């Protein structure tokens, strides 16, 4: 059965199709046929039509002659490229004429064409379009259906519906004869309950089909199978992978501080080569190129949740024990959890900077819990650290890498991804977000992922900056400000991309003169909560291409929070620079007003005391009584400060001009003068400082 070859038909998973809906769904070449049919003339394009021409009288005559000579007669093969016009209710004679053959040829071909009608006269009308196609094909010609809307004006205007369906259903009825089914679908309204029948009709018509999910239009060619994990990878494809580390320990023993230090030393002090940060997990790259993935969800909940899902996504547990407190309740619990999961432990004995820190006592307390550290003859590494100051934190990372080496951690980087969801949340702007720890394969944008009963298409993958500190810790840090200039910013942008771009710009800030902290950032309108946060951290709110929620506006006004709105990144960055500059303390530059040479010193009586006075002559500029003065002897400054008095002859004056003589008395009466000393009169002018931060491109 010839048909519209390669046509893709989308079916939804409904079973109770009626014939009518199949036809509608089939969009379909069948429909196109009827469209052709409904027109006065549709076109069938004979592209590279090749056939052997029937022998003409002349041919037969020639054949006879050649046969007599013992030579085979071969009628010439002709290649025709022509367009055959067909039309509704066309007769056999019309078709023969269009094809450039005679009716005899058509009768002959018709013997091989499947059809129930007996076309036995040149005037027989061919109602079935398929028959025409078959005749053309069986004649060794090719045909091409030209889209009537493109090639021929469709002036049917929806008329002739009856005829269309007549032809349409005829096609289906005809095809149905070759489809295996027990039901007699004899009316256009017949419902096809059997999905296979629909598929067979489409296939027998030479079309392809694709089953689509009715709710989300994604192809489901799973044939009812569920997604399954791949069998274990061939060891030859396995490659080294970074260890995944979870930090555990008793409350307040410094887990968050350690995570922060790990993150920040990498960036700020450049002790590590670089850092990639995610929400929920981050990767530290050491100078050596080694990488360590830290799950930044300290605490037991995350760990036990993962365990409860039967997952072992942690390779190493870093057990933080404060050296002043020693082993506490949750330390014991953490040890138990790590043991149950059969995850090796590295102990970080923290807070060694504290006077009350007792490393040996802590080690012995651990021993009592069955944790024998190397010093005490065991095989568990223990690294004394100060998470707060960063002392020995690099030794801790080295210890982790050493442990990972022993474990020979490897992964299969190829094929579909298998990952562990570490965190998930709903973001009003970005939608559903999940932090996934990829355990096998490579996650790609656009991949379709399944977790439990949920599935999703990966729209984007983010490497996110994290707030340095969180919660109470953070609040405390900001409140304990020791006077160091610091600009706190709360950033809101219209889309992820712009916020990301700005964060990247702020990342380039390194100046030691003033700290720059992004206390919070996000996408969308500024909310009242943002304003509260800004108050808490004494931050300026910067917006990029976004607005304030009315409630935020009111509370910003009430709380006196500065909100600066920008639509151009360049201007926003310039403004941040200006804010930084405004925070920098001024420096002072000296401006010399005049100089005087000391001619002699004499002593005057002030009450009971004798105080020295310099008899001078102004040699340069002017001397101003209220300005500052320096006494310089052989390039050495012996005094810097104010005058007690300035006299010209006997009178107290406020200034002395060049070449005038004067008596100058310093505020420090212990300073004595010598002839030849220089007294310099100067003022200190405030000079604003400017940040040397010049982000690339700004
Ligand atoms: N002196 C000193 N203080 C530290 C050190 N590490 C952490 N701290 C302080 O200890 C307190 C608790 O630290 P966190 O990092 O919040 O402790 P945590 O274990 O994450 O606490 P939870 O999240 O509540 O379980 C904070 O005040 C830190 O500044 C350290 O090495 N030395």
């Amino acid at each position: 059965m010839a048909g519209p070859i390669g046509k893709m038909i989308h079916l939804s998973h409904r079973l109770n199709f009626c014939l009518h809906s199949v036809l509608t769904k089939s969009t379909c070449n069948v429909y196109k046929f009827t469209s052709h049919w409904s027109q006065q003339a549709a076109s069938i394009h004979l592209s590279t039509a090749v056939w052997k021409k029937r022998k003409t009288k002349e041919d037969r005559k020639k054949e006879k002659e050649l046969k007599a000579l013992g030579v085979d007669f071969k009628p010439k093969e002709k290649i025709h490229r022509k367009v055959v016009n067909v039309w509704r209710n066309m007769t056999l004679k019309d078709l023969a004429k269009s094809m450039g053959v005679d009716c005899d040829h058509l009768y002959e071909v018709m013997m091989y064409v499947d059809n129930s009608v007996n076309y036995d006269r040149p005037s027989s009308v061919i109602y079935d379009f398929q028959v025409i196609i078959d005749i053309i094909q069986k004649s060794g010609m090719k045909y091409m259906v030209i889209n009537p809307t493109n090639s021929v004006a469709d002036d049917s205007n929806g008329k002739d519906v009856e005829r269309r369906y007549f032809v349409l259903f005829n096609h289906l009825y005809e095809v149905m004869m070759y489809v295996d089914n027990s039901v007699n679908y004899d009316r256009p309204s017949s419902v096809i309950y059997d999905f296979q029948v629909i598929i067979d009709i489409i296939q027998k018509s030479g079309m392809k089909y694709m089953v689509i999910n009715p709710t989300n239009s994604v192809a489901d060619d799973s044939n009812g199978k569920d997604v399954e994990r791949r069998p274990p990878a061939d060891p030859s494809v396995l490659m080294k992978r970074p260890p995944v580390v979870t930090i555990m320990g008793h409350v307040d023993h410094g887990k968050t501080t350690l995570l922060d230090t790990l993150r920040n030393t990498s960036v700020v002090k450049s002790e590590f080569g670089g850092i990639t940060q995610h929400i929920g997990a981050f990767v530290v790259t050491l100078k050596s190129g080694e990488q360590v993935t830290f799950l930044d969800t300290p605490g037991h909940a995350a760990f036990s949740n993962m365990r409860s899902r039967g997952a072992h996504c942690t390779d190493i547990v870093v057990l933080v024990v404060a050296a002043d407190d020693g082993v506490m309740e949750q330390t014991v619990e953490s040890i138990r959890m790590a043991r149950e999961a059969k995850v090796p432990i590295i102990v970080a004995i923290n807070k060694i900077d504290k006077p009350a820190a007792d490393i040996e006592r802590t080690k012995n307390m651990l021993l009592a819990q069955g944790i024998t550290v190397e010093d005490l003859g065991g095989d568990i590494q223990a690294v004394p650290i100060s998470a707060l100051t960063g002392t020995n934190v690099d030794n801790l990372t080295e210890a982790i890498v050493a442990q990972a080496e022993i474990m020979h951690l490897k992964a299969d980087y190829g094929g579909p991804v298998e990952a562990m969801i570490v965190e998930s949340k709903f973001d009003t702007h970005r939608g559903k977000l999940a932090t996934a720890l990829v355990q096998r394969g490579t996650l790609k944008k656009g991949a379709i992922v399944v977790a439990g009963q949920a599935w999703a298409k990966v729209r984007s993958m983010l490497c996110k900056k994290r707030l340095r500190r969180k919660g109470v810790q953070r609040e405390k840090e900001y409140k304990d400000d020791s006077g160091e200039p610091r600009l706190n910013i709360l950033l809101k942008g219209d889309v992820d991309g712009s916020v990301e771009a700005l964060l990247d710009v702020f990342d380039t800030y390194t100046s030691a003169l003033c700290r720059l902290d992004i206390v919070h950032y996000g996408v969308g309108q500024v909310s009242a909560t943002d304003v509260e946060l800004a108050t808490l951290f004494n931050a300026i709110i910067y917006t990029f291409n976004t607005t304030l929620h009315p409630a935020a506006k009111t509370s910003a006004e009430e709380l006196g929070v500065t909100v600066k709105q920008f639509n151009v990144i360049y201007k926003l960055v310039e403004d941040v620079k200006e804010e930084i500059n405004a925070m920098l303390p001024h420096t002072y530059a000296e401006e010399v007003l005049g100089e005087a040479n000391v001619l002699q010193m004499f002593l005057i009586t002030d009450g009971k005391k004798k105080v020295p006075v310099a008899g001078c002559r102004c040699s340069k500029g002017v001397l101003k009584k209220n300005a500052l003065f320096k006494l310089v002897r052989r390039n050495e400054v012996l005094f810097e400060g104010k005058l007690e008095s300035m006299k010209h002859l006997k009178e107290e004056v406020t200034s002395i001009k060049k070449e005038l003589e004067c008596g100058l008395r310093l505020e420090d009466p212990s300073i004595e003068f010598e002839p030849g000393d220089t007294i310099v009169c100067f003022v200190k002018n405030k000079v604003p400082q400017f940040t040397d931060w010049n982000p690339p491109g700004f």
Side-chain angles (χ1 to χ4, degrees), residues 27-44 86 129 144-156 164:
T27 26
C28 71
N29 286 345
V30 177
Y31 176 81
K32 279 182 191 162
F33 295 166
T34 62
S35 284
H36 292 201
W37 215 234
S38 67
Q39 290 152 27
Q40 282 311 302
S43 303
I44 292 182
V86 293
F129 200 74
M144 185 188 279
V145 179
I146 299 166
N147 189 334
T149 51
N150 293 338
S151 57
V152 183
D154 180 354
D155 52 6
S156 61
R164 281 189 200 187

Side-chain angles (χ1 to χ4, degrees), residues 250-257 350-354 385-388 469 473 476:
H250 190 70
V251 63
D252 265 4
H253 276 199
K255 300 177 291 290
T256 312
T257 311
N350 192 27
K351 306 199 185 182
I352 57 164
D353 59 300
K354 280 186 131 181
I385 61 159
S386 168
L388 195 67
R469 303 250 163 175
Q473 168 80 16
K476 195 158 61 183

Side-chain angles (χ1 to χ4, degrees), residues 211-271:
V211 180
I212 52 163
N213 186 326
T215 50
N216 43 42
S217 306
V218 174
D220 171 15
D221 47 7
S222 62
N223 295 328
K225 275 185 257 152
D226 196 359
V227 182
E228 276 175 20
R229 276 178 179 249
R230 287 182 286 156
D234 184 331
S236 64
V237 302
L238 297 179
M239 281 157 62
K240 194 175 167 186
R241 68 164 172 85
V244 179
V245 177
T246 301
I247 297 186
M248 298 179 79
H250 190 70
V251 63
D252 265 4
H253 276 199
K255 300 177 291 290
T256 312
T257 311
L258 177 58
L259 280 166
D260 280 345
T261 306
L262 284 163
R263 250 193 303 263
N264 294 316
T265 45
S266 301
V267 179
V268 180
K269 294 185 190 161
S270 305
E271 284 174 6

Side-chain angles (χ1 to χ4, degrees), residues 403-467:
Q403 177 65 42
E405 284 290 330
I406 301 169
M407 295 169 80
H408 298 293
L409 300 169
K410 289 187 169 177
D412 168 15
Y413 286 78
V417 77
E418 283 173 28
M420 168 69 53
I421 304 293
V422 180
E423 266 179 22
S424 69
K425 64 173 184 178
F426 181 76
D427 183 296
T428 40
H429 300 284
R430 291 190 215 108
K432 289 162 193 154
L433 296 181
T435 302
L437 192 69
V438 175
Q439 296 179 310
R440 192 172 174 192
T442 303
L443 185 61
K444 290 184 182 145
K445 199 172 161 182
I448 290 174
V449 289
V450 182
Q453 292 196 331
W455 70 270
K457 196 168 178 177
V458 178
R459 272 202 283 162
S460 60
M461 290 186 278
L462 317 161
C463 287
K464 272 288 169 198
K465 282 97 189 155
R466 291 275 294 186
L467 296 177

